[in-house]
Amino acid sequence: FLKMKTNISSLLILQVPLYFNGWYLLPFYVGELGLLCYKGIVLPYPARNFFPELLLILLLLGIDVIRIFLGMKGNLTQRKIPLLVSLLLLLPIIFGYLYFILWQSYIFIIELVLISIAFVGIGLQACISPIILWILHRQQS
């Protein structure tokens, strides 16, 4: 009975941040794309930066969707490999978000808020996933 309780709590503690990260993807990326379009139309945005930043947003969206999918499936099926891949996919996401905070041509305060909320979500996953991987490793050995 105690082992079953550990499985359920380990699933729930990671599933909640992944669930909310999944719901946050839509407003985050719609907001980022909208702000990029606004910057391109209203501000003197360098054309050489507009398309690479657009491609970066779309690339990060794809990686984020895969990250959350693998994290949720690995967590629900209690498999280590999808959880590990999901954890490793946090690295390009973190660097992409840092680019939008530090090196983007124009940065609005709303972008800082959007990215800060996203950092909370990925920070929770980065803290909880290694613990879940350790628990799964202990149970399988």
Side-chain angles (χ1 to χ4, degrees):
F1 177 73
L2 183 60
K3 192 172 186 179
M4 180 67 133
K5 186 174 182 179
T6 303
N7 287 343
I8 292 172
S9 64
S10 70
L11 291 173
L12 185 60
I13 197 168
L14 181 59
Q15 199 67 19
V16 170
L18 287 171
Y19 176 80
F20 287 115
N21 276 339
W23 277 102
Y24 186 67
L25 282 182
L26 181 65
F28 176 76
Y29 284 106
V30 167
E32 281 294 324
L33 286 170
L35 287 169
L36 184 64
C37 291
Y38 175 79
K39 293 175 197 176
I41 293 170
V42 175
L43 301 173
Y45 207 79
R48 69 181 189 282
N49 291 355
F50 182 79
F51 290 107
E53 288 180 5
L54 176 65
L55 289 175
L56 181 61
I57 290 174
L58 296 175
L59 180 67
L60 287 175
L61 173 62
I63 293 171
D64 237 350
V65 168
I66 293 169
R67 173 186 67 85
I68 290 174
F69 175 78
L70 288 175
M72 288 181 126
K73 293 303 173 190
N75 189 33
L76 291 174
T77 59
Q78 296 186 356
R79 306 230 181 235
K80 291 186 280 187
I81 298 297
L83 276 175
L84 184 62
V85 172
S86 176
L87 188 61
L88 292 175
L89 287 176
L90 284 174
L91 293 175
I93 296 296
I94 290 170
F95 286 119
Y97 289 171
L98 284 175
Y99 172 82
F100 286 122
I101 289 177
L102 301 174
W103 301 295
Q104 194 176 20
S105 297
Y106 295 102
I107 303 167
F108 292 140
I109 292 176
I110 188 69
E111 282 181 296
L112 293 176
V113 171
L114 287 171
I115 293 172
S116 298
I117 294 169
F119 267 129
V120 169
I122 62 175
L124 285 172
Q125 182 187 358
C127 292
I128 297 169
S129 289
I131 296 168
I132 301 299
L133 284 168
W134 180 73
I135 289 170
L136 292 176
H137 178 72
R138 262 192 39 218
Q139 288 177 351
Q140 291 176 358
S141 29

